[in-house]
Amino acid sequence: MLPPASFLSIPATRRIPSRRAGLNALVLAVVALTATAAVAQQQPARPAQSGPPPLVERAEKIAITPVVVPNFWNVERRLERPDAAKLPKELRFVTTDDYPPFNFINSTGALSGFNIDLARAICAELSVTCSFQTAAFADVADVVDQGRAEAAIAGLVATPASRATLDFSERYLGTPARFVGRKQETLAKATPEEVASKKVAVVSRTAHEAYLRSFFNEAAIRPYPDLKAAQEALKAGQVDLLFGDGITLALWLNGTDSAACCRFVGGPFTESRFFGDGFSVAVKEGNDTLRHAMDFALQRIWEKGVYTDLYLRWFPVGFY
């Protein structure tokens, strides 16, 4: 049975485990690169950085995986423009400030990140003003439910419990899983048959390990306690491949910690039952007007090329 390897349009189910810790370590590596060259479930320390330009500059100087910008919208479906009179004049977003490169405090003390820029683009499309407030991740849903913000853009978990108080827009970013191998690895396709003869590193007790054991159980699966240990095993040649979160691995591949050792092997895996279906904007349960407005704005942002510009700015590496 071949595992799914294409984009799926199913509502988001949860935030990807260990994403925060992995991104934090990689962002710190990018900060170190900036100093020398002129970019879940754990809470990372707040990075001292100002945004994506250092990584963009690096990306222009080295060969990287071509960036494929994902499309989650059916452009043939025409969504009705929301009635401006039914929308708030000011759209208050709540987010966190410790989840780079999605939402974080930059070196100037300003709230920054992909989610922040996307929220501003939504407000511009809806012709409303934008404001932001931050909260601990555990409190974000309550801020919306209690009416202290109209929407949350912070990678909230869409579970039966959260859907009791929140509704979610269509997704605006997926979280694919990917295989990584050393540059001398000759494997071109990451199918169960091709991977069966390989030793594969994975972080233990994660969705990625569960996926391997479900679809790649003939491979020699090697669980590691954390991503750093799995990455070091791959670099040292103790394993042939590493399977994990594509966004985290893309940043690692193009950072200093990888020492340019490795590359993506095969394509993305987007099975929502294991990896969730990506990030959405959350609004108070029953606020269909605002939820539909979010869907309209997100599709228009894609159609106008604004989404692509933001995506390439914040993710100048390919994880699809």
Side-chain angles (χ1 to χ4, degrees):
M1 176 180 180
L2 289 177
S6 61
F7 303 139
L8 303 177
S9 297
I10 306 173
T13 56
R14 56 188 171 84
R15 167 171 281 177
I16 300 303
S18 75
R19 166 72 56 78
R20 285 177 171 245
L23 281 174
N24 181 60
L26 295 168
V27 169
L28 291 178
V30 173
V31 172
L33 188 153
T34 304
T36 60
V39 151
Q41 293 176 342
Q42 296 176 338
Q43 300 286 333
R46 191 167 68 196
Q49 67 159 22
S50 58
L55 184 55
V56 175
E57 293 169 3
R58 173 176 168 80
E60 292 173 347
K61 297 177 182 179
I62 63 175
I64 62 173
T65 303
V67 178
V68 176
V69 181
N71 175 16
F72 306 110
W73 297 276
N74 179 3
V75 295
E76 295 181 356
R77 186 181 66 163
R78 307 313 303 172
L79 298 179
E80 183 178 352
R81 175 174 287 277
D83 184 352
K86 296 181 179 179
L87 297 176
K89 296 186 183 307
E90 178 185 13
L91 190 51
R92 299 172 298 169
F93 279 93
V94 61
T95 187
T96 66
D97 62 8
D98 58 358
Y99 190 30
F102 295 96
N103 23 266
F104 62 97
I105 302 296
N106 66 21
S107 60
T108 68
L111 189 61
S112 186
F114 174 77
N115 281 341
I116 308 307
D117 285 350
L118 185 63
R120 290 193 175 104
I122 288 172
C123 290
E125 187 60 44
L126 297 177
S127 300
V128 299
T129 59
C130 239
S131 66
F132 297 90
Q133 58 184 294
T134 60
F137 181 72
D139 298 329
V140 167
D142 288 339
V143 173
V144 176
D145 183 43
Q146 295 167 9
R148 290 182 280 141
E150 281 75 43
I153 187 162
L156 284 174
V157 178
T159 64
S162 65
R163 290 186 182 278
T165 58
L166 299 174
D167 283 338
F168 294 83
S169 73
E170 295 181 358
R171 65 175 175 169
Y172 61 81
L173 187 67
T175 48
R178 296 292 302 265
F179 281 100
V180 169
R182 285 173 295 166
K183 286 191 173 177
Q184 58 266 42
E185 175 60 56
T186 59
L187 195 66
K189 296 180 179 180
T191 64
E193 293 77 15
E194 296 289 336
V195 176
S197 62
K198 303 293 183 178
K199 292 178 289 186
V200 184
V202 68
V203 179
S204 64
R205 299 205 275 185
T206 61
H208 298 97
E209 182 184 9
Y211 189 79
L212 285 180
R213 296 196 183 282
S214 296
F215 297 105
F216 292 84
N217 57 1
E218 293 185 10
I221 299 172
R222 300 286 187 265
Y224 287 84
D226 54 50
L227 182 60
K228 180 68 173 178
Q231 291 167 338
E232 291 302 317
L234 179 64
K235 288 169 63 176
Q238 298 169 1
V239 295
D240 304 304
L241 300 170
L242 165 60
F243 187 66
D245 173 61
I247 298 176
T248 302
L249 291 175
L251 295 175
W252 176 68
L253 289 176
N254 291 280
T256 56
D257 281 354
S258 69
C261 70
C262 307
R263 64 177 180 85
F264 278 130
V265 174
F269 297 87
T270 58
E271 174 52 69
S272 61
R273 292 175 299 166
F274 289 85
F275 313 125
D277 196 46
F279 299 152
S280 301
V281 180
V283 301
K284 187 175 177 61
E285 191 270 336
N287 193 346
D288 292 339
T289 298
L290 186 55
R291 179 172 59 84
H292 291 314
M294 293 294 177
D295 289 341
F296 171 83
L298 287 169
Q299 180 161 328
R300 290 291 292 156
I301 288 167
W302 164 260
E303 291 173 348
K304 292 180 177 180
V306 175
Y307 179 91
T308 296
D309 291 342
L310 294 180
Y311 185 93
L312 293 176
R313 177 176 183 244
W314 288 102
F315 309 110
V317 293
F319 53 87
Y320 272 101

